[in-house]
Amino acid sequence: MISGSHLRIGKGLKSCTSVVQVAETFYMDGRRIQLIDTPGFDDTTKSDAEVLRMIAAFLATTYEAGKKLAGVIYMHRISDFRMGGISTRNFKMFRELCGESTLKNVVIVTNMWGEVSKEVGEAREAELVREDIFFKPVLEKGAQILRHGNTLASAQRILGHLLNNHPKSLQIQRELVDQKKDISQTVAGAELNRELMAQAEKHRKEMIALQDEMKEAIRLRDEETRKELEVESKRLSEELRRVQEESQKLASNYNAEKARLEQHMRAMNEAAVEENQRAIAAYRLQVQQLEDRLNQRSLESAGEKADILRKLEELKREGPKRFGGFFTKIGNAMDRVFGIGI
C-alpha cells in the first residue's frame, strides 16, 4: 500500500509470498525506503527448510554487501480466533532469525481489524500482549505492537516508528557471515532440525502402530482394512522420507542456492554497470539541454522559463530513482535462483 508496488498478495487459502519480494523504492519524510516481503514458515507451497534457506540466503548476501535493516515487521492477523501451533512456530522461527539484540527494531503489526468487532479485536490484542506464550517476552525487550487499519495513514504511522532506528544485523546474519556457521548450526537451523527430527519420530511411531494393525487385519482376513492400511503406511513412509531428506539437505542446498545467488548478482552487477552508465549519460544530457535552454536569451516569456524550471526540478528529483538499488538487484537475482518472477 505505502510503496505503490504490485506484489503478490494472498487472498485465498494458498500462500502467495513464496519467494522474497522487493517493493519499489519510495520516499517518506525525505528518507529513501525499500520494503522486503518474505514468505512465512507456514507457507502452503514451500517447506520450512526451503523458506529458511531462501530467507537466510537473502539476509546473508545483503549483510555481506554491508546492508543492514532499519526495522523488521512481523504481521499477525487479529482475525485469527486463536494463535495455534503453526502461528506459534512461525513467530518462534522469526525470533530466532532476529535474535534478542535486534528486538528494539521489531514491530509486531496486527492487521485484518475489519474482519472482527472492535471488542473482540481488542480482547485478542490484550491477550497477545499479556501472555508469555505469545508476544509479551519480545515486547518486554523493546519490540512494539501496532495496528494496521488498511489505510495509507496507518501504514505511514507504522513505518514512522522505524525510520530513525539505528540499523542492526540480525542474529542469523551474524551467525552465517561473521561466525561462518553452517545454516544447520544457526539457532534457527537447529530449531528447524529439532522439529524435523520430532516429526520423523512421530511418523516412525505411527508406522509401527499401522504395522500392528495390518497384522491384525491379515489375521482376520479383512482385505478392505488391509488395503486402507497399506495406503496409509505408504503415505507415512513417503512423509518420513521427505522429512529426513529435508534435514539432510538443509545445509547442502543452502550453500548451493547461496552460490547461485552470488553468481547471478555478479552477472547482474556487470550488466548493470554498463546500463547505468548509459542511463546516467542520458540523464546528464537531458539536464544539460534544459539548463542550456534556460540560459538562452531567446526565452520569450516568464511562463516558458517557469516551465523549463519545473521540468528541470522534476528531472533532478526523479533522477536517483531511475537507477536500480542493491535490494532491487538482489530481489531480481532471488527470482532467478528460486525460479519465480515477480
Side-chain angles (χ1 to χ4, degrees):
M1 178 176 286
I2 197 169
S3 69
S5 299
H6 300 286
L7 304 182
R8 292 181 295 274
I9 300 173
K11 292 184 175 16
L13 295 176
K14 288 187 177 180
S15 303
C16 277
T17 309
S18 53
V19 71
V20 176
Q21 300 183 89
V22 181
E24 297 290 336
T25 300
F26 65 97
Y27 288 79
M28 178 176 158
D29 296 340
R31 304 291 295 277
R32 187 171 184 267
I33 302 170
Q34 264 193 308
L35 298 175
I36 299 133
D37 191 22
T38 69
F41 290 96
D42 54 351
D43 192 81
T44 52
T45 60
K46 292 189 178 295
S47 68
D48 284 354
E50 289 175 303
V51 171
L52 177 59
R53 291 198 307 268
M54 187 187 303
I55 294 175
F58 179 88
L59 290 173
T61 304
T62 56
Y63 185 52
E64 286 171 342
K67 305 292 183 180
K68 297 179 185 178
L69 301 176
V72 189
I73 298 171
Y74 181 85
M75 305 293 292
H76 177 77
R77 297 182 297 265
I78 202 68
S79 56
D80 289 354
F81 66 91
R82 64 185 178 88
M83 190 166 172
I86 292 176
S87 296
T88 303
R89 188 182 79 240
N90 203 350
F91 186 64
K92 186 175 184 181
M93 290 296 291
F94 170 81
R95 280 191 66 180
E96 288 165 349
L97 286 172
C98 294
E100 300 296 294
S101 63
T102 319
L103 291 177
K104 288 183 179 179
N105 285 6
V106 167
V107 170
I108 299 167
V109 173
T110 54
N111 63 349
M112 303 291 185
W113 282 84
E115 303 294 318
V116 297
S117 68
K118 182 181 178 183
E119 293 75 16
V120 168
E122 288 179 347
R124 289 176 182 171
E125 181 185 54
E127 186 177 2
L128 291 171
V129 168
R130 72 170 179 265
E131 295 292 337
D132 286 331
I133 60 172
F134 300 142
F135 300 145
K136 181 183 176 183
V138 299
L139 295 174
E140 289 178 339
K141 293 181 180 178
Q144 301 177 71
I145 185 166
L146 302 170
R147 300 178 188 179
H148 179 39
N150 201 31
T151 66
L152 181 59
S154 82
Q156 290 171 334
R157 181 174 55 83
I158 290 165
L159 281 194
H161 285 266
L162 301 173
L163 280 186
N164 297 316
N165 281 351
H166 177 67
K168 294 183 177 182
S169 58
L170 304 186
Q171 176 167 275
I172 196 164
Q173 292 176 315
R174 296 190 298 272
E175 290 176 316
L176 290 172
V177 179
D178 297 338
Q179 300 168 24
K180 303 193 182 305
K181 288 184 177 181
D182 189 276
I183 190 171
S184 58
Q185 296 172 324
T186 65
V187 176
E191 173 61 23
L192 179 57
N193 260 330
R194 188 193 65 76
E195 288 190 4
L196 289 172
M197 291 302 97
Q199 287 180 34
E201 183 60 25
K202 177 174 175 286
H203 292 326
R204 274 192 284 268
K205 288 179 179 178
E206 288 173 344
M207 286 181 66
I208 291 171
L210 273 178
Q211 288 168 2
D212 290 340
E213 289 182 43
M214 195 176 296
K215 288 177 183 177
E216 182 64 12
I218 292 171
R219 188 182 69 80
L220 297 174
R221 297 183 181 180
D222 186 343
E223 190 64 15
E224 184 177 349
T225 301
R226 186 189 65 79
K227 287 181 179 179
E228 289 176 356
L229 291 171
E230 274 186 353
V231 170
E232 180 63 12
S233 179
K234 184 178 179 181
R235 184 191 69 79
L236 280 174
S237 179
E238 290 174 353
E239 183 65 15
L240 176 60
R241 179 181 55 78
R242 182 193 65 78
V243 169
Q244 290 172 329
E245 285 181 355
E246 270 194 44
S247 178
Q248 292 166 359
K249 291 180 179 179
L250 180 60
S252 60
N253 282 12
Y254 165 77
N255 292 330
E257 287 161 357
K258 179 74 164 48
R260 289 203 305 273
L261 180 60
E262 290 170 346
Q263 182 181 1
H264 280 298
M265 285 291 292
R266 284 193 296 271
M268 291 175 72
N269 277 333
E270 290 170 4
V273 168
E274 186 177 345
E275 183 182 341
N276 277 0
Q277 285 175 343
R278 288 196 301 267
I280 290 169
Y283 165 74
R284 287 174 175 169
L285 179 61
Q286 284 181 283
V287 171
Q288 187 62 52
Q289 287 173 340
L290 286 171
E291 288 177 341
D292 289 345
R293 282 192 62 197
L294 197 60
N295 293 328
Q296 288 176 3
R297 295 181 179 179
S298 60
L299 292 177
E300 297 180 358
S301 68
E304 188 178 359
K305 183 176 181 180
D307 185 54
I308 294 174
L309 282 170
R310 179 183 56 79
K311 289 179 180 177
L312 192 57
E313 185 181 341
E314 287 179 358
L315 188 61
K316 289 182 176 180
R317 186 171 62 247
E318 293 296 322
K321 299 181 185 179
R322 296 181 173 198
F323 315 114
F326 175 79
F327 286 113
T328 301
K329 291 176 188 175
I330 193 172
N332 292 336
M334 291 287 291
D335 286 343
R336 295 187 183 185
V337 171
F338 294 98
I340 299 175
I342 292 179

